[in-house]
Amino acid sequence: MAATTTGLAVGSILGAVSLAAVLGNVLLLVVFGRSRRLHTSSPATCFIANVAVVHVLAVLLCNVPTIAAALSGAWAMGQAMCMVQTFFRALALLLEAHTLALLAFERYLRICRPLKHEEVFSGTVVLILLSGLWLCDTIIALNPFYGWGKITYDQLGFTCDLDWVKSESLLIFTTLVALVLPLAAAAACYIAILLLCYCLAPLTGIIGRRAHGVSNK
């Protein structure tokens, strides 16, 4: 099947965006890998590096097959690659959402409860948390392979994905696990940080004025 004008446009635009995403995230990972200080300075850098790894893999395993299908006009990579793309799209969504929620919690402890932060987010704990995220999210992303959901090829989107119309229960579950719960957790953490800043603002102003008065004397 020959490529259509729409397919060529989609493939070209997605290809340019994907190339920029890969270059940016690989550069971030190179900087992270070459700087030992970033490994230990803050757990946040490890979480950001984890998101960068997810982005690179998502481009290679999700975007590249879609680009190839759009430019050629047909899916020519077989059912196995179709299943891989569907699996990793779900895995990337889960990993990014949960990593960002974990990053929000880390920021909350660092700003609001710094002593607890040092106790909780040690290097070993960060490694365990990230390993646990990958393991749990992999199990969740494998739901279609357990028989929960049906994988299909979307000719209009040039991509393999779950047939969400026939998988309403899985759609509800995925929405809760990948969107609602992580967003709610992250929002709660950042709201707590903003409330603390709001409460401390008057005190900071008083201390600043007193320090300015002492310096003038």
Side-chain angles (χ1 to χ4, degrees):
M1 183 183 296
T4 63
T5 303
T6 302
L8 292 174
V10 170
S12 300
I13 294 172
L14 185 57
V17 172
S18 299
L19 179 60
V22 168
L23 291 176
N25 284 287
V26 168
L27 179 60
L28 188 153
L29 290 172
V30 169
V31 172
F32 178 79
R34 297 186 63 178
S35 175
R36 291 186 176 275
R37 187 175 64 85
L38 290 177
H39 298 177
T40 57
S41 61
S42 172
T45 57
C46 296
F47 297 145
I48 294 172
N50 187 61
V51 172
V53 170
V54 172
H55 284 174
V56 172
L57 292 177
V59 169
L60 297 178
L61 296 177
C62 297
N63 290 9
V64 170
T66 297
I67 294 169
L71 294 178
S72 64
W75 184 271
M77 286 161 282
Q79 182 63 20
M81 190 61 212
C82 191
M83 296 172 71
V84 168
Q85 186 188 47
T86 303
F87 160 74
F88 203 83
R89 177 181 287 107
L91 178 61
L93 174 63
L94 290 165
L95 281 171
E96 181 162 3
H98 295 158
T99 302
L100 293 177
L102 192 58
L103 176 61
F105 180 64
E106 187 271 338
R107 293 290 87 188
Y108 161 74
L109 285 185
R110 188 174 185 87
I111 296 172
C112 300
R113 303 183 64 184
L115 296 180
K116 191 68 176 178
H117 177 275
E118 297 298 327
E119 176 184 340
V120 172
F121 283 101
S122 64
T124 304
V125 172
V126 171
L127 181 60
I128 292 174
L129 287 173
L130 290 177
S131 300
L133 279 185
W134 278 85
L135 176 61
C136 294
D137 289 344
T138 297
I139 294 174
I140 296 173
L142 285 172
N143 278 325
F145 301 89
Y146 308 142
W148 192 12
K150 180 182 178 182
I151 298 174
T152 184
Y153 175 66
D154 180 9
Q155 294 183 352
L156 296 178
F158 309 102
T159 184
C160 289
D161 203 353
L162 290 167
D163 187 347
W164 296 110
V165 176
K166 297 181 180 179
S167 310
E168 291 185 6
S169 59
L170 181 56
L171 174 61
I172 295 172
F173 174 79
T174 303
T175 302
L176 287 174
V177 173
L179 294 176
V180 177
L181 294 179
L183 285 175
C189 291
Y190 288 125
I191 288 173
I193 293 173
L194 290 175
L195 289 176
L196 177 65
C197 294
Y198 177 78
C199 294
L200 291 179
L203 180 61
T204 304
I206 293 173
I207 295 175
R209 288 193 295 272
R210 289 182 176 178
H212 181 69
V214 171
S215 63
N216 289 339
K217 292 180 179 180

